[in-house]
Structures are given as structure tokens and as C-alpha cells.
Amino acid sequence: MDKQTITIYDVAREAGVSMATVSRVVNGNPNVKPTTRKKVLEVIDRLDYRPNAVARGLASKKTTTVGVIIPDVTNLYFSSLARGIDDIASMYKYNIILANSDENEQKEVQVLNTLLAKQVDGVIFMGNKITEELRAEFSRSRTPVVLAGTVDPDEQVGSVNIDYETATKDSVELLLENGHKKIAFVSESHDEPINGQFRLKGYKQALKDASIEYDENLVFQSEYTYKVGEAVYEQLIKVDATAVVVADDELAVGILNAALDRGVSVPEDFEIITSNNSKLTEMTRPQLSTVVQPLYDIGAVAMRLLTKLMNKEEIDEKTVKLPYTIAGKGSTK
């Protein structure tokens, strides 16, 4: 018998039971005699029958599948979040479909619609911002959505994050305490709420509290890649920055290595604080001082919040902020 064509009907016929009995065995229903269950499981094993999740979904209106949209699967920040999501999904017996959106807004909408067409029960979105087009798709679909490491300023969609504004303020304050006056801030586009509305606000507030005038020449928007980090360091030299707060670890490593390649001593002559505490912060010498985001927990809590939404359980808080700390490692004094 061709494995591809084996159906619940074939299992029922081989085991000499009804399709309803096979269904009960597959779904773990206790109302099956032990001898019958054993016989059915033996046939399932022999025929290598695999229940069709889509067909089961049509019957139960649930596919026990969750779609996860990830902007860049190679970035350790997102892969750490995905670990937390996957572990909790397994615990609650949900399968994950991971979709890479390449940080492209058109592709995000396309990927979302592909996942919805696969009848996923819920979606976790890890993009950098919610465009109006994406928000419209979320609203149109009845499928629950939770953001992980992404902010919805309108708080319409459930989300799990840290307090990015205060974390950035704390980072700048640490550098101010170390005697710096020209502290740069480097992040991706300010169109993204995390950067433009929260991190930048925290940066400005710390300067204001220290009576230092905000200088837009010390603020840079760039891609989150190592190569760009090297180029950003050239810009930092031009504006005489002596310290920098960086919103991404890979970018921070590029800046660090560019400084070291030019014979600059870190942290003696130049200090760096990054934002994600991914494995990269431990791999550099000196190690990078960083905001410690509980990345795994952000993913895990986002998945747990999604299970509650999917099962229509009561929810205390739709916008969850987890605690963070700042680890002064080798790139600050």
C-alpha cells in the first residue's frame, strides 16, 4: 500500500473497527477498550499512518498549528525568541510553522496570508513594526495574534516585551556616570516604534536629566548587520563620540571590532552598551556590556499568551512587560 495514500479508512479496515474508533485512538480518547486500542495502534504502526492535520482541522475547526513570522532567522535575537516559543508550543501540543519575512513589509503580509490559508490557530509576529496594511489583515482575520519582542503603540494586539524606553535610559545613564558627554545612539529606522518612540525617548530623557543638549548628529539609523557596524564606527569618529548605545548585538560587534582594528582601547578610550544579550555578547573580547532581555522568556510568555487567546481563556494583561537588567561586562568601565 502506498504510504502517501494511507487514510483513516485503511486503518479501520485493517483493524476491523470503525473509523470513529480509529479517530478516538488517534485523539487519545479514553473511551476505547485497551485490547481495541492496542490492535489499532499496531495497525497504525505497521501501515505508518500519519493523521492528516488539515483534515482533522476541518472536522474540529482546529489544526493545532501556530504560525511564527520571523524577520531574520539568522539573527540570534529572533532565534532565541523562537526557542522559547517552540518549547511552550510543544508543551501545549501545538506544531509550529516558521516563516521568514526577510524584514520586508510586503513579504510580511504575504507570509501572514499564507499562514492563514493553512488554517493556523494563531500567529506570533516578530517583525519590527506593525504597518497599517498588516494591522488591517490582523483585524480582518479572526485568528489570534501575539507580538513577541515587537511593540504595538495602540495596544490593540497582545504583546510581550521589556520596557525599552527605561532600558535605554539606564544604558545612557551608566555611560554618563562614567564621564561621557558625547554618547551616540545607533538603531534601525525610527519608523519602528521600539526605536523611534521608546528607545530614542529614553536616550533623550537621560541626556535631559543630565542637562546635556540633544545632538541629532550623534543619532544614527542603520541596518542590523556586522558590516554596517564597521561603517558606523567611521561615522562615530567623525562626530567625536566617546561612547555608544547600540540597539542590536551584531551591529555592536561590528562597531567594537572596527574600533579595535584602529588600535582604540575598549573600554578605556571608547565604551559600548548593546541591547539584546544574545550569545554574541559573550563571544567578543572584551565581552559586550548589554541590556539583559529575557529573550527565551519573551518567546515562551508570548506563546503562552497565544494559547490563552486561542482557547478563549481569561487574560489579565494583554501587554506584558518582563523585567530586564543591565550587565556591565568588558566594553564599559
Side-chain angles (χ1 to χ4, degrees):
M1 210 179 284
D2 180 2
K3 190 161 99 174
Q4 293 299 317
T5 60
I6 288 167
T7 65
I8 192 167
Y9 171 75
D10 298 316
V11 175
R13 193 187 60 220
E14 288 279 319
V17 298
S18 69
M19 285 192 281
T21 300
V22 177
S23 178
R24 281 196 282 272
V25 171
V26 167
N27 291 308
N29 189 315
N31 299 329
V32 182
K33 283 188 212 153
T35 50
T36 308
R37 183 186 306 282
K38 187 166 181 284
K39 185 165 62 173
V40 171
L41 288 172
E42 279 169 0
V43 172
I44 285 173
D45 197 38
R46 180 157 51 82
L47 298 183
D48 196 16
Y49 167 66
R50 295 173 193 277
N52 182 328
V54 174
R56 284 165 74 187
L58 292 173
S60 68
K61 302 273 195 300
K62 285 187 174 182
T63 56
T64 60
T65 303
V66 168
V68 177
I69 301 175
I70 193 165
D72 179 2
V73 80
T74 65
N75 188 309
L76 283 172
Y77 171 76
F78 294 115
S79 51
S80 300
L81 292 179
R83 276 289 310 279
I85 292 167
D86 191 48
D87 282 1
I88 300 300
S90 300
M91 193 187 292
Y92 285 90
K93 303 210 166 16
Y94 282 93
N95 299 308
I96 294 277
I97 301 176
L98 197 64
N100 196 42
S101 65
D102 296 328
E103 302 200 42
N104 176 315
E105 289 176 5
Q106 273 67 47
K107 195 173 173 190
E108 280 172 356
V109 174
Q110 186 189 326
V111 161
L112 175 66
N113 283 320
T114 303
L115 290 171
L116 295 175
K118 286 186 162 70
Q119 309 286 313
V120 292
D121 296 335
V123 172
I124 291 184
F125 180 75
M126 290 195 258
N128 294 317
K129 71 167 180 176
I130 306 180
T131 58
E132 286 314 308
E133 199 178 352
L134 204 59
R135 193 184 290 283
E137 293 297 327
F138 287 164
S139 302
R140 210 156 57 94
S141 154
R142 299 266 169 88
T143 309
V145 177
V146 170
L147 311 176
T150 304
V151 170
D152 176 13
D154 300 345
E155 298 196 353
Q156 290 176 0
V157 185
S159 65
V160 184
N161 297 283
I162 64 162
D163 184 339
Y164 298 107
E165 184 182 329
T166 313
T168 308
K169 183 171 173 280
D170 290 349
S171 301
V172 176
E173 282 172 353
L174 189 148
L175 296 171
L176 288 165
E177 281 165 22
N178 289 353
H180 295 280
K181 298 277 189 287
K182 297 202 104 180
I183 301 167
F185 170 65
V186 186
S187 72
E188 261 192 340
S189 167
H190 292 173
D191 287 346
E192 294 163 13
I194 287 178
N195 297 321
Q197 290 181 38
F198 297 98
R199 283 183 170 136
L200 185 61
K201 196 174 169 190
Y203 170 77
K204 287 178 174 177
Q205 189 60 50
L207 295 177
K208 189 180 173 189
D209 290 351
S211 303
I212 293 174
E213 202 171 319
Y214 171 71
D215 179 358
E216 62 182 26
N217 293 321
L218 289 167
V219 175
F220 299 87
Q221 297 178 61
S222 77
E223 287 175 33
Y224 285 163
T225 67
Y226 176 84
K227 272 277 169 242
V228 169
E230 291 182 317
V232 165
Y233 183 71
E234 298 293 331
Q235 305 298 314
L236 295 174
I237 295 170
K238 285 177 188 165
V239 294
D240 300 323
T242 59
V244 63
V245 172
V246 189
D248 176 76
D249 294 351
E250 191 176 321
L251 186 64
V253 176
I255 292 170
L256 171 67
N257 285 355
L260 298 175
D261 287 348
R262 283 158 187 73
V264 173
S265 292
V266 177
E268 292 76 16
D269 303 327
F270 189 78
E271 293 189 54
I272 303 169
I273 296 186
T274 186
S275 297
N276 297 334
N277 195 39
S278 69
K279 284 181 187 169
L280 288 175
T281 61
E282 296 168 10
M283 293 177 182
T284 58
R285 290 296 177 272
Q287 291 190 354
L288 283 164
S289 297
T290 180
V291 173
V292 180
Q293 291 195 48
L295 298 182
Y296 177 92
D297 293 352
I298 290 174
V301 173
M303 183 63 215
R304 181 65 187 110
L305 179 59
L306 187 64
T307 62
K308 288 182 177 179
L309 289 170
M310 291 186 296
N311 295 312
K312 298 186 169 49
E313 292 174 39
E314 203 174 301
I315 288 159
D316 307 327
E317 197 60 64
K318 224 170 151 185
T319 304
V320 181
K321 284 187 182 170
L322 297 180
Y324 68 88
T325 56
I326 294 192
K329 298 184 190 175
S331 64
T332 52
K333 290 175 194 160

